[in-house]
Amino acid sequence: MKVVIVGGGVGGLACAQHLTRRDAAVSVTLVDQRLRHDFAPSFLWQIIGSRTPAQVSRPLSSLGRAGVRLVEAEVTRIDPEVATLSTTGGEIAFDELVLAPGASLAPETIPGLDGAAHGFYTREDAERLRETLAGFRGGRVLVVVAAMPFKCPAAPYEAAFLVDDLLRRRGISARVDVVTAEPQPLPVAGAAIGAQVAAMLERRAIGFSPGRALQSVDADLSEAQFEDGSEPYDLLIAIPPHRAPAFIADSPLGGPQGWIPVDAPTLRAREGVHAIGDVTTITLANSKPLPKAGVFAHGQAEVVADNLAAMAAGRTASARFDGHGACFLETGGGRAGYASGDFYAEPDPTVRMRSPARRWHWGKVIFERRWLARLR
Ligand SMILES: Cc1cc2nc3c(=O)[nH]c(=O)nc-3n(C[C@H](O)[C@H](O)[C@H](O)COP(=O)(O)OP(=O)(O)OC[C@H]3O[C@@H](n4cnc5c(N)ncnc54)[C@H](O)[C@@H]3O)c2cc1C
């Protein structure tokens, strides 16, 4: 069986490794436009200077040594009817396709945003933000979540806590404010978790203003503009709108918003095609979408790999993704909170948040080490 995986991020990497470790009767091809894997949770540490760009990134070449055929090319089109991908390196046929191309960042969809704001959602942007913070002399830092959905619901709050901590430790007089399109922090996790995070922000005197989608940015005035008024800034840090990659949105697989609707337990999109991670949309029992997070991409990847291995061996594909997930929330000073739960629970996800403590920070450090060791 010829399995082709698109994307060597969290989902694609985990799926390829799980398949090769299963010793399944499959050939595995992984296509990525850049054969390099960046560990996004560490971008938060990069912006405060506790990781270098090199420390949070690995080439995917070790996958090749494990028997995965690696193709460095951009996928431009999918034709599920004839089981073929078009790429900048030519056409690739598949028996089974696993789509894990993640979400695209689209700052250009908000007038003035591109160029005016710093970001930390790529390794390169995180590095530029680190440099700017190193020379920042004080004033108002505005952390803006431009629109929903976006990946890693905790990341904007981690950025606010870490930047606040960094500037305080440097003795710089600054105020950090979060303005977000979300109705509350981590909305899918329920009102209690949202209130917990809001209280954590308040204790640190970090401003919080929910329910405000970003309309435009005026770099000359240093103002971020919302429907109900504008907010001045000295340093703007934005999480830009996210979009499904164009080759997905333009294909028969993309749903109304471009993301791929999949069967929640099996991640099947259609005959011969599975999709995992940020590119998917899964509606939960409470009508909210499953958050876009690496922990889910990882769990889903292993389910799909198990089922493909079973199919290749002529066995029943019985693995099911159960919607469990967890994430760390760095708060600075070597501490982190930890939220975990069952997101497929009915009628609402059951999520618990542990208060910031050193052990959760170390939990994230160990997780980072283990993840990067996958690509030794
Ligand atoms: C700052 C930050 C912190 C985060 N922290 C956490 C955390 O603590 N916990 C957590 O669970 N999640 C976290 N996340 C979210 C997590 O990184 C993503 O949810 C996860 O990476 C999604 O995995 P994926 O496989 O769907 O996509 P990705 O990991 O984004 O991988 C997609 C891959 O597809 C490739 N690709 C895209 N389009 C094409 C194309 N046309 N042709 C070829 N290749 C293509 C890309 O190059 C990329 O390598 C964080 C994200 C950010 C930005």
Side-chain angles (χ1 to χ4, degrees), residues 11 99-100 102 267 275-282 291-293 296-298 300-301:
L99 291 168
L267 294 312
I276 55 179
D278 291 353
V279 77
T280 63
T281 178
I282 294 175
K292 299 192 183 302
F296 298 126
H298 180 187
Q300 294 167 349

Side-chain angles (χ1 to χ4, degrees), residues 7-11 32-33 40-41 44 73-75 100-102 120-121 152 247 277-278 292-295 297:
V10 173
D32 200 303
Q33 56 210 357
L44 273 314
E74 184 187 345
V75 176
F120 59 96
Y121 266 45
C152 193
F247 79 97
D278 291 353
K292 299 192 183 302
V295 65

Side-chain angles (χ1 to χ4, degrees), residues 25-163:
V26 294
S27 74
V28 182
T29 299
L30 186 145
V31 190
D32 200 303
Q33 56 210 357
R34 217 176 47 128
L35 293 180
R36 176 160 275 285
H37 181 93
D38 293 342
F39 184 69
S42 299
F43 297 167
L44 273 314
W45 288 328
Q46 219 190 306
I47 63 181
I48 56 164
S50 45
R51 294 291 183 281
T52 65
Q55 283 174 322
V56 305
S57 182
R58 297 284 181 275
L60 285 169
S61 44
S62 60
L63 273 184
R65 294 194 289 279
V68 176
R69 181 179 161 239
L70 293 172
V71 176
E72 187 159 47
E74 184 187 345
V75 176
T76 51
R77 199 179 123 85
I78 308 175
D79 202 338
E81 299 299 335
V82 292
T84 308
L85 289 179
S86 302
T87 80
T88 47
E91 297 213 325
I92 303 176
F94 57 83
D95 298 318
E96 292 287 337
L97 179 64
V98 181
L99 291 168
S104 300
L105 303 179
E108 70 284 357
T109 56
I110 296 200
L113 179 61
D114 214 359
H118 276 279
F120 59 96
Y121 266 45
T122 66
R123 196 164 59 110
E124 296 74 17
D125 282 351
E127 191 50 18
R128 274 190 289 274
L129 176 54
R130 185 197 63 74
E131 283 165 12
T132 299
L133 280 168
F136 187 63
R137 301 206 185 286
R140 189 182 194 208
V141 179
L142 202 60
V143 178
V144 174
V145 178
M148 294 172 73
F150 63 96
K151 55 184 158 182
C152 193
Y157 301 97
E158 292 187 277
F161 286 125
L162 290 175
V163 169

Side-chain angles (χ1 to χ4, degrees), residues 208-227:
F208 178 61
S209 183
R212 301 172 77 193
L214 182 65
Q215 312 268 300
S216 60
V217 177
D218 188 326
D220 294 332
L221 295 176
S222 294
E223 277 184 2
Q225 287 151 348
F226 303 85
E227 211 172 58

Side-chain angles (χ1 to χ4, degrees), residues 16 20 30 68 238 242 297 375:
T20 52
L30 186 145
V68 176
H242 288 33
L375 289 167

Side-chain angles (χ1 to χ4, degrees), residues 97-371:
L97 179 64
V98 181
L99 291 168
S104 300
L105 303 179
E108 70 284 357
T109 56
I110 296 200
L113 179 61
D114 214 359
H118 276 279
F120 59 96
Y121 266 45
T122 66
R123 196 164 59 110
E124 296 74 17
D125 282 351
E127 191 50 18
R128 274 190 289 274
L129 176 54
R130 185 197 63 74
E131 283 165 12
T132 299
L133 280 168
F136 187 63
R137 301 206 185 286
R140 189 182 194 208
V141 179
L142 202 60
V143 178
V144 174
V145 178
M148 294 172 73
F150 63 96
K151 55 184 158 182
C152 193
Y157 301 97
E158 292 187 277
F161 286 125
L162 290 175
V163 169
D164 175 71
D165 185 53
L166 176 80
L167 297 175
R168 276 176 203 271
R169 276 190 288 116
R170 285 197 188 142
I172 288 168
S173 158
R175 176 183 169 86
V176 179
D177 290 306
V178 178
V179 181
T180 175
E182 306 158 284
Q184 62 159 77
L186 285 56
V188 75
I193 301 280
Q196 233 177 311
V197 177
M200 283 158 61
L201 290 165
E202 199 178 335
R203 275 197 294 278
R204 292 274 292 271
I206 296 173
F208 178 61
S209 183
R212 301 172 77 193
L214 182 65
Q215 312 268 300
S216 60
V217 177
D218 188 326
D220 294 332
L221 295 176
S222 294
E223 277 184 2
Q225 287 151 348
F226 303 85
E227 211 172 58
D228 58 355
S230 43
E231 297 285 349
Y233 62 79
D234 296 291
L235 173 61
L236 177 63
I237 303 175
I239 288 82
H242 288 33
R243 296 279 181 273
F247 79 97
I248 295 287
D250 297 344
S251 80
L253 297 163
Q257 309 300 322
W259 313 106
I260 307 176
V262 289
D263 177 49
T266 63
L267 294 312
R268 187 175 176 279
R270 62 182 283 164
E271 185 69 32
V273 183
H274 290 83
I276 55 179
D278 291 353
V279 77
T280 63
T281 178
I282 294 175
T283 304
L284 302 175
N286 63 3
S287 305
K288 297 193 174 114
L290 180 72
K292 299 192 183 302
V295 65
F296 298 126
H298 180 187
Q300 294 167 349
E302 295 194 348
V303 165
V304 170
D306 280 341
N307 285 337
L308 292 177
M311 283 159 61
R315 288 183 277 109
T316 310
S318 56
R320 297 288 179 268
F321 178 61
D322 64 7
H324 281 79
C327 88
F328 300 101
L329 198 159
E330 284 285 305
T331 54
R335 291 172 195 274
Y338 181 71
S340 62
D342 175 0
F343 287 76
Y344 281 2
E346 295 179 14
D348 286 298
T350 47
V351 184
R352 182 177 165 206
M353 166 86 97
R354 269 70 153 211
S355 300
R358 291 195 187 282
R359 66 175 175 281
W360 304 122
H361 166 74
W362 283 107
K364 180 167 167 174
V365 172
I366 290 164
F367 177 63
E368 175 201 47
R369 278 189 202 152
R370 289 202 180 134
W371 189 268

